[in-house]
């Protein structure tokens, strides 16, 4: 379907992988990404990790009330951002998609401003933290209820099909969302309508503290696609390039009118579900450590090193640049100031009703 790469087989027994854990290329086709694209792909992965760790520190400092750690999820998130047409296709992310929105092009100052609810927040401080959105990039604002964003994502995809523009919708969620009624109603409708949408499940094996085997009896999440008449792909989510090629193929498949697909990326959440969660109560340290050995950043760096594209000096320089960029973005977000109270009345009515205008004016 895509020139230069083969079609992947759905419902495979093993997760699809293209990079070995020592960094060797194991794909059966030649790479279509050039050296510069590979290096920038790695930069997006690292920048997302650095930002995630920075947001956790800001939360501990009391500058952010809530954060949903995303370290370990970078592979599929950056892959989604690189598989869509920015500003044309539509994204319906969930609260752990920090890497996705960053790689898509949402400025770090906006992300931090949204987390802090400052004037740098395009949502005007009216969302809880970790609820990104972008009108310019067609990123639907994240919603807190699990799976509630999947139905409107399907509705948007059907609209795109009716308009015949060739645009695609991608929606992301954790595996816990596939236990919700909203998921099943939405994916069923997408299958029946042949909607141009890709469902990307980031399966980190825990719905907060509930392990995978207590969430579902399905052998994997991709298998659920059979019931809805679409292909289901299981991919090694710690392999960034496998995520990219599989998701890109699913997106282009949808763009060509073939219909929806479900992609399950097996990832791991290194941190807790949120600051209110003590993950040491439900998962052993040995398990976390074993997944750290499969870290997507380490695997991608080894891949670049084996191709002679990366060394310690480049790593040091890149990390210093990222740290400085993000440090300035945090300063910018903080310096923009608190959101004015009267902003809560904006963007609801074209003409503010008299009683609300009176309330707004009473704020002084």
């Amino acid at each position: 379907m895509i020139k230069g790469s083969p079609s992947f087989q759905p419902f495979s027994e093993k997760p699809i992988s293209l990079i070995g854990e020592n960094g060797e290329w194991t794909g059966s086709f030649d790479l279509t990404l050039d050296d510069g694209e590979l290096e920038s792909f790695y930069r997006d992965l690292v920048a997302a990790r650095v930002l995630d760790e920075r947001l956790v520190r800001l939360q501990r400092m009391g500058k952010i009330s809530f954060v949903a750690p995303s370290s370990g999820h970078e592979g599929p998130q950056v892959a989604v951002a690189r598989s869509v047409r920015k500003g044309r296709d539509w994204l319906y992310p969930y609260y752990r998609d920090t890497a996705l929105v960053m790689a898509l092009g949402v400025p770090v100052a906006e992300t931090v401003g949204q987390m802090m609810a400052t004037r740098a927040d395009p949502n005007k401080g009216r969302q809880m933290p970790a609820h990104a959105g972008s009108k310019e990039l067609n990123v639907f604002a994240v919603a807190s209820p699990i799976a509630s964003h999947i139905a409107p994502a399907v509705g948007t995809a059907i609209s795109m099909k009716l308009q015949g523009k060739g645009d695609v919708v991608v929606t992301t969620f954790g595996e816990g969302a596939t236990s919700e009624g909203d998921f099943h109603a939405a994916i069923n409708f997408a299958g029946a309508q042949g909607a141009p949408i890709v469902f990307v499940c980031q399966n980190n094996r825990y719905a907060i503290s509930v392990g995978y085997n207590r969430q579902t009896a399905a052998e994997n999440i991709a298998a659920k696609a059979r019931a809805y008449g679409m292909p289901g792909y299981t991919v090694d989510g710690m392999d960034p390039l496998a995520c990219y090629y599989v998701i890109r193929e699913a997106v282009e498949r949808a763009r060509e009118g073939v219909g929806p697909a479900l992609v399950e990326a097996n990832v791991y959440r290194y941190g807790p579900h949120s600051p209110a969660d003590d993950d040491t109560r439900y998962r052993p340290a040995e398990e976390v450590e074993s997944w750290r050995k499969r870290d997507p950043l380490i695997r991608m760096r080894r891949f670049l090193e084996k191709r002679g594209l990366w060394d310690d000096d480049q790593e040091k320089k890149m990390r210093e640049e990222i740290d400085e960029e993000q440090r300035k973005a945090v300063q910018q977000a903080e310096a923009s100031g608190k959101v004015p109270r009267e902003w809560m009345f904006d963007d609801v009515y074209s003409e503010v009703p008299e009683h609300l205008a009176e309330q707004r004016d009473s704020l002084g």
Side-chain angles (χ1 to χ4, degrees), residues 9-12 14-16 173 175 178 183 187 199 201 203 212 216 218-235 261-266:
Q9 291 299 312
F11 308 115
S12 57
K14 295 182 179 179
I16 299 167
F173 44 85
E175 81 284 0
T178 70
F183 167 78
I187 195 171
F199 302 89
C201 175
N203 180 0
Y212 180 85
T216 177
E219 57 183 302
N220 55 49
I221 299 300
K224 299 185 179 186
R226 291 185 189 275
Y228 303 110
M230 66 183 73
Y233 302 92
T234 301
V235 60
L262 170 62
V263 177
E264 173 192 13
N266 292 324

Side-chain angles (χ1 to χ4, degrees), residues 50-351:
V50 172
L51 179 60
D52 185 59
E53 293 171 349
R54 189 181 299 273
L55 293 175
V56 170
R57 290 198 300 273
L58 290 171
Q59 192 276 329
R60 289 173 177 169
M61 294 166 65
K63 295 187 176 184
I64 293 173
S65 60
F66 175 87
V67 64
S70 59
S71 293
H73 284 237
E74 294 91 348
Q77 293 187 19
V78 173
V80 168
R82 287 175 170 268
S83 298
V84 299
R85 296 191 302 198
K86 298 178 181 178
R88 286 285 306 275
D89 295 330
W90 288 77
L91 283 302
Y92 282 71
Y94 81 131
Y95 49 74
R96 211 177 298 283
D97 276 331
T98 306
L100 192 162
V101 296
M102 171 185 265
L104 197 66
V106 174
V108 174
E110 281 191 15
T111 297
V112 177
Q114 198 281 318
M115 300 288 286
M116 292 182 171
T118 69
R119 286 176 179 266
D121 174 16
N123 292 327
K124 299 186 177 181
R126 294 180 298 198
Q127 283 268 15
M128 67 175 287
H131 285 46
S134 171
K135 183 177 181 180
E136 293 74 19
L137 294 168
N138 289 347
V139 180
F140 192 79
V142 171
S144 293
I146 304 301
S148 67
H149 63 299
I150 302 176
V154 171
T156 301
I158 293 173
S159 175
M160 293 301 104
K161 179 181 179 181
L162 294 174
Q163 294 180 51
K165 293 181 177 179
D167 297 335
V168 172
V169 177
V170 178
T171 183
T172 64
F173 44 85
E175 81 284 0
T178 70
S179 302
E180 297 284 348
D182 281 348
F183 167 78
H184 294 282
I187 195 171
N188 180 66
F189 200 36
Q193 295 292 320
I197 183 169
V198 179
F199 302 89
V200 178
C201 175
Q202 298 172 43
N203 180 0
N204 65 28
R205 308 199 69 77
Y206 288 97
I208 305 182
S209 60
V210 180
Y212 180 85
N213 292 335
R214 296 184 65 188
Q215 299 176 52
T216 177
E219 57 183 302
N220 55 49
I221 299 300
K224 299 185 179 186
R226 291 185 189 275
Y228 303 110
M230 66 183 73
Y233 302 92
T234 301
V235 60
D236 182 349
M238 312 302 269
D239 178 341
L241 293 185
C243 293
Y244 169 69
Y245 277 103
V246 173
I247 292 172
R248 190 186 71 157
E249 180 174 295
V251 167
E252 292 309 312
R253 180 180 178 280
R255 196 183 311 285
E256 292 176 10
V258 180
L262 170 62
V263 177
E264 173 192 13
N266 292 324
V267 297
Y268 198 76
R269 159 171 53 84
Y270 292 136
H273 168 73
S274 73
D277 173 42
D278 179 4
D279 58 303
T280 63
R281 295 173 64 88
Y282 57 84
R283 61 181 185 180
E286 295 78 10
E287 178 184 298
V288 180
E289 186 58 30
S290 69
W291 280 88
R292 284 197 179 280
K293 293 177 181 176
R294 304 186 60 216
D295 193 306
L297 275 62
I298 295 174
R299 194 185 298 194
M300 189 69 182
R301 179 176 174 176
R302 287 172 178 164
F303 172 77
L304 293 178
E305 290 173 341
K306 281 187 177 293
R307 298 176 70 86
L309 298 174
W310 207 250
D311 58 32
D312 290 344
D313 290 340
Q314 288 170 289
E315 181 78 12
K316 182 174 183 294
K317 180 181 178 183
M318 179 189 69
R319 286 183 176 270
E320 288 175 348
E321 290 174 351
I322 290 172
D323 186 68
E324 180 63 11
E325 290 170 3
Q326 294 187 8
R327 188 185 64 79
K328 289 181 178 177
V330 172
Q331 286 183 338
Q332 179 184 344
E334 288 188 290
S336 65
K338 294 182 179 179
V339 170
R341 287 177 294 178
E342 58 267 26
W343 279 12
M344 74 174 79
F345 295 92
D346 292 351
D347 309 319
V348 178
Y349 297 98
S350 58
E351 294 183 13

